[in-house]
């Protein structure tokens, strides 16, 4: 696997530091029992994600992307094969994982204010009150919502709600951030803002990210590596290193001829041509 | 309401206008009551009928019997039964509902019987309760609690089963313990439906409060009404009925006030959702 082949423009200072991948999937297969017979969502998925890496998983609808992410989070167990987090098998959700779900409206708790939502993971970890308040304020500031703490999530726009969800996932400083099509329900303008936000936050927190999307442009723009999976059953068709320079920029990066090249290549893979 | 969300940009003086509108809204609600009251008052004013006494004497009896007089004891005894029975029903309803939600096998085994008991009209249990618990406080409280239990229990169970999987997944990912998830996620998420159950239970509890006092009882509003009717004191009977209506209204007002406090987030979110649609 390509765990340690990180090129210098990826995350500064991360190259070659860590030999154990943050996550690895080994021949993961997932079959769901269904009314019309068993359905194979994933077949033989194998890849590693190295510390500090930004990996994007792309695939068409029905490629088992969400199943893959739930397996990486420890929310679902593979039918066969193995999922490892920091070298240990994933039997349940480890404390060092953060997940941002696609539907912030379903994931944020509407009975809690923004600050209380973000505070929840700290509260259950027994963090003291004053430190909780400081960390909530800091993480809300780093997602660009310094004044939203007293609001309720449903009083905010969709993009702002997803920022809250990101803040909540970062508040307890996980090693790995999993994102399941997190920007699929916001408008294009907001989406670009959130993409840049996640690149900045990833730098700031030095966090490993696995980002699931069906949008190839988004994957190429964000990733160090793109893992392309095919439609049902999901198998890894190719892993593509993205060597576009960082920091990336919505206009110049996307105008880079290499961007168009990656895009074309991945589109061919995903569309199975 | 969404209007409060848009209210920031309102011109000065808008508050005065909305005050007027509020008064108008109150008037639209009150006018019918005033009309009916006046119709009853004047229609019954000269009545010599034993069964249809003048409203003025009913109101007088309301004061002399229920506010300053001996019927106050009936009032407090009934309210005590209601309060104790209802609180037991609410606590047990939510508790058992949550327990059944978490224990799938128990739930599947018991669910047919739960609905069987739920559809049973509770007043028919009065004779059974009398033989089991005798007459007095225990029998009445048990009857009220038993009848009022089901709406809360079934709504709690239903509400908890309907909690979005994403909310539960989120709790696991955030590191919330299973017990913590019940209190921090499942209960609040199911709260709108639990509250609907509690409101339903309150109505049932009030009905059973009266019904439990009809037979083999020597106190309470229900006893007072039946006793007044049987001793041809129709003024007293009517005053008792009015007292019941007032109890129901006050209980409902208190309930709605509590509900608006507990579920303010729910109504807020729903109003925003409606406005966006």
């Amino acid at each position: 696997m390509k765990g340690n082949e990180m090129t210098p423009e990826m995350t500064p200072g991360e190259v070659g530091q860590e030999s154990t991948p943050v996550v690895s999937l080994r021949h993961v297969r997932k079959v769901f029992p269904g009314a019309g017979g068993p359905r194979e969502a994933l077949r033989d998925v194998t890849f590693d994600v190295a510390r500090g890496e930004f990996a994007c998983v792309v695939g068409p609808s029905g490629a088992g992307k969400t199943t893959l992410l739930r397996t990486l989070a420890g929310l679902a167990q593979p039918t066969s094969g193995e999922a490892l987090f920091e070298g240990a098998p994933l039997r349940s959700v480890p404390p060092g994982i953060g997940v941002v779900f696609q539907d912030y409206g379903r994931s944020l708790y509407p009975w809690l204010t923004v600050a209380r939502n973000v505070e929840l993971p700290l509260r259950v970890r027994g963090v003291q009150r004053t430190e909780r308040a400081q960390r909530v304020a800091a993480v809300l500031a780093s997602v660009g919502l310094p004044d939203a703490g007293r609001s309720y999530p449903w009083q905010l726009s969709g993009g702002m709600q997803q920022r809250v969800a990101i803040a909540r996932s970062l508040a307890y400083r996980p090693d790995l951030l999993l994102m399941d099509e997190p920007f699929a329900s916001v408008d294009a303008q907001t989406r670009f803002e959130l993409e840049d936000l996640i690149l900045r936050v990833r730098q700031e927190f030095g966090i490993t990210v696995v980002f699931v999307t069906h949008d190839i442009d988004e994957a190429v723009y964000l990733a160090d590596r793109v893992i392309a999976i095919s439609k049902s059953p999901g198998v890894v068709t190719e892993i593509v290193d993205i060597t576009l320079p960082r920091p990336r920029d919505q206009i110049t990066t996307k105008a880079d001829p290499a961007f168009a090249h990656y895009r074309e290549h991945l589109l061919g893979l995903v569309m199975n041509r | 309401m969404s209007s409060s969300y848009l209210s920031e940009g309102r011109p000065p003086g808008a508050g005065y206008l909305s005050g007027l509108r509020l008064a108008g809204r109150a008037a639209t609600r009150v006018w019918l009551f005033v009309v009916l009251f006046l119709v009853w008052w004047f229609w019954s004013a000269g009545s010599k009928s034993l069964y249809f006494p003048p409203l003025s004497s009913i109101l007088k009896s309301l004061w002399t019997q229920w506010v300053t007089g001996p019927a106050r004891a009936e009032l407090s005894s009934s309210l005590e039964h209601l309060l104790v029975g209802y609180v037991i029903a609410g606590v047990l309803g939510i508790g058992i509902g949550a327990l059944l939600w978490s224990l799938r096998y128990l739930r599947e085994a018991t669910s047919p019987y739960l609905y069987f008991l739920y559809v049973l009209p509770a007043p028919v249990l009065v004779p059974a309760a009398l033989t089991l618990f005798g007459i007095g406080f225990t029998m009445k409280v048990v009857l009220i609690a038993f009848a009022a239990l089901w709406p809360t229990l079934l709504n709690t169970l239903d509400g908890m089963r309907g909690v979005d999987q994403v909310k539960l997944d989120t709790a696991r990912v955030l590191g919330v313990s299973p017990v913590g998830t019940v209190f921090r996620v499942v209960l609040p998420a199911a709260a709108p439906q639990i509250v609907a159950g509690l409101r339903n239970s309150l109505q049932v509890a009030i009905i059973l409060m009266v019904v439990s006092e009809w037979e083999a009882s020597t106190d309470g509003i229900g006893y007072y009404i039946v006793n007044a009717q049987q001793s041809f004191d129709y003024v007293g009977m009517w005053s008792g009925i009015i007292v019941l209506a007032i109890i129901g209204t006050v209980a409902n007002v208190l309930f709605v006030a509590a509900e608006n406090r507990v579920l303010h987030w729910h109504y807020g979110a729903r109003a925003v959702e409606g406005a966006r649609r």
Side-chain angles (χ1 to χ4, degrees):
Chain A
M1 284 287 94
K2 306 199 172 194
N4 289 326
E5 287 179 32
M6 297 180 73
T7 42
E9 70 270 21
M10 286 174 185
T11 315
E14 293 285 351
V15 181
Q17 273 186 0
E18 187 68 56
S19 53
T20 321
V22 177
V23 281
S24 8
L25 296 184
R26 295 273 168 275
H27 309 291
V28 164
R29 179 164 181 266
K30 180 74 181 178
V31 182
F32 290 106
R39 194 175 57 80
E40 193 177 24
L42 298 172
R43 172 189 292 174
D44 195 23
V45 174
T46 298
F47 64 83
D48 289 349
V49 179
R51 191 160 297 278
E53 192 179 16
F54 199 126
C56 281
V57 176
V58 292
S61 311
K65 297 194 295 289
T66 295
T67 306
L68 183 64
L69 189 117
R70 284 177 59 86
T71 308
L72 286 171
L75 286 166
Q77 299 301 316
T79 308
S80 64
E82 204 177 18
L84 303 166
F85 175 68
E86 295 181 335
L90 270 168
R91 302 255 178 270
S92 63
V93 187
I97 286 185
V99 181
V100 176
F101 294 95
Q102 175 182 345
D103 201 339
Y104 44 80
R106 292 168 65 191
S107 158
L108 292 173
Y109 296 134
W111 52 87
L112 299 178
T113 60
V114 165
R116 295 244 170 211
N117 263 287
V118 175
E119 192 187 32
L120 181 61
L122 302 177
R123 198 179 265 268
V124 300
R125 282 167 174 75
V127 177
Q128 289 306 305
R129 196 179 157 166
T130 43
E131 201 196 331
R132 282 206 308 260
Q134 283 168 6
R135 279 166 72 170
V136 168
V139 79
L140 281 177
S142 58
V143 298
L145 293 175
D147 304 317
R150 287 161 168 270
S151 304
Y152 283 89
W154 37 268
Q155 293 174 318
L156 307 176
S157 69
M160 285 161 93
Q161 289 186 52
Q162 196 57 297
R163 285 171 193 254
V164 175
I166 293 168
R168 186 174 63 180
S169 308
L170 293 171
Y172 52 101
R173 296 168 190 159
D175 296 332
L176 171 67
L177 185 63
L178 301 171
M179 307 184 85
D180 184 11
E181 306 218 21
F183 310 144
S185 352
V186 297
D187 62 82
Q189 182 70 38
T190 308
R191 184 175 193 139
F192 294 152
E193 284 170 23
L194 290 174
E195 285 168 6
D196 289 335
L197 170 84
I198 204 66
L199 286 179
R200 189 169 52 69
V201 153
R202 171 252 187 157
Q203 197 79 14
E204 187 183 325
F205 286 76
I207 198 171
T208 310
V209 184
V210 176
F211 188 108
V212 169
T213 179
H214 63 265
D215 184 328
I216 288 165
D217 285 29
E218 184 169 72
V220 173
Y221 180 68
L222 293 172
D224 297 319
R225 265 190 327 151
V226 174
I227 298 155
I229 57 176
S230 67
K231 201 165 174 166
S232 49
V235 290
V236 177
T237 44
E238 195 177 323
I239 296 178
V240 180
D241 282 307
I242 308 292
T243 56
L244 293 165
R246 289 189 192 272
R248 292 184 186 166
D249 176 88
Q250 290 287 355
I251 295 164
T252 54
T253 302
K254 288 180 178 173
D256 192 323
F259 185 92
H261 167 76
Y262 287 127
R263 187 172 182 272
E264 190 188 347
H265 180 67
L266 284 162
L267 202 55
L269 281 175
V270 168
M271 294 183 74
N272 203 10
R273 274 192 242 162
Chain B
M1 290 291 291
S2 59
S3 61
S4 68
Y5 212 57
L6 303 170
S7 65
E8 288 158 17
R10 277 197 313 189
Y16 171 69
L17 273 178
S18 84
L20 263 183
R21 193 184 298 162
L22 214 69
R25 195 182 293 168
T28 46
R29 283 188 183 181
V30 164
W31 72 267
L32 186 61
F33 174 78
V34 174
V35 167
L36 289 174
F37 183 88
L38 290 175
V39 167
W40 191 2
W41 181 275
F42 287 110
W43 198 5
S44 65
S47 170
K48 296 277 175 273
S49 163
L50 184 64
Y51 310 109
F52 187 54
L55 181 56
S56 54
S57 40
I58 295 172
L59 291 183
K60 205 173 131 201
S61 142
L62 203 62
W63 182 263
T64 55
Q65 288 288 311
W66 297 96
V67 182
T68 60
R72 277 191 305 185
E74 316 300 343
L75 185 62
S76 62
S77 133
S78 282
L79 289 180
E80 196 185 334
H81 299 153
L82 175 66
L83 193 70
V84 175
Y86 180 59
V87 167
I88 292 174
V91 171
L92 283 184
I94 296 172
I96 299 174
L99 197 70
L100 291 179
W101 169 78
S102 55
L103 303 172
R104 190 167 70 92
Y105 292 103
L106 190 62
R107 176 173 79 228
E108 283 172 5
T110 51
S111 75
Y113 312 106
L114 293 183
Y115 284 92
F116 178 74
L117 289 168
Y118 176 57
V119 297
L120 186 72
V124 305
L125 291 172
V126 172
L130 273 172
T131 41
L132 282 173
F133 301 104
I135 52 174
F137 181 84
T138 312
M139 168 266 186
K140 286 166 186 150
V141 166
V142 166
L143 202 64
I144 292 169
F146 179 82
L149 174 71
W150 307 108
T152 300
L153 193 161
L154 294 172
N155 271 284
T156 301
L157 181 54
D158 231 42
M160 288 184 157
R161 292 183 71 181
V163 175
D164 191 341
Q165 186 60 40
V166 174
K167 290 202 164 51
L168 300 175
D169 282 352
T170 301
R172 279 180 70 189
V173 165
L174 295 179
V176 187
S177 67
V179 174
T181 303
V182 172
F183 287 98
R184 293 182 188 279
V185 180
V186 177
L187 269 175
Q193 217 176 325
I194 295 173
V195 168
L198 283 170
R199 181 200 282 260
N200 208 332
S201 287
L202 181 61
Q203 287 160 354
V204 174
I206 292 174
I207 293 171
L208 265 291
M209 171 189 84
V210 181
V211 170
S212 70
E213 292 160 353
W214 275 350
E215 275 186 65
S217 177
T218 53
D219 61 347
I221 304 167
Y223 161 74
Y224 182 92
I225 292 171
V226 171
N227 191 46
Q229 185 249 342
Q230 285 169 352
S231 48
F232 307 104
D233 173 14
Y234 293 107
V235 174
M237 180 192 81
W238 282 109
S239 73
I241 291 171
I242 290 177
V243 166
L244 274 181
I246 293 172
I247 290 175
T249 309
V250 169
N252 200 48
V253 166
L254 291 177
F255 191 95
V256 169
E259 177 179 346
N260 284 339
R261 270 189 78 87
V262 174
L263 293 182
H264 74 99
W265 59 269
H266 176 65
Y267 295 117
R270 247 189 8 191
V272 170
E273 212 173 278
R276 279 189 187 142
R277 211 165 270 155

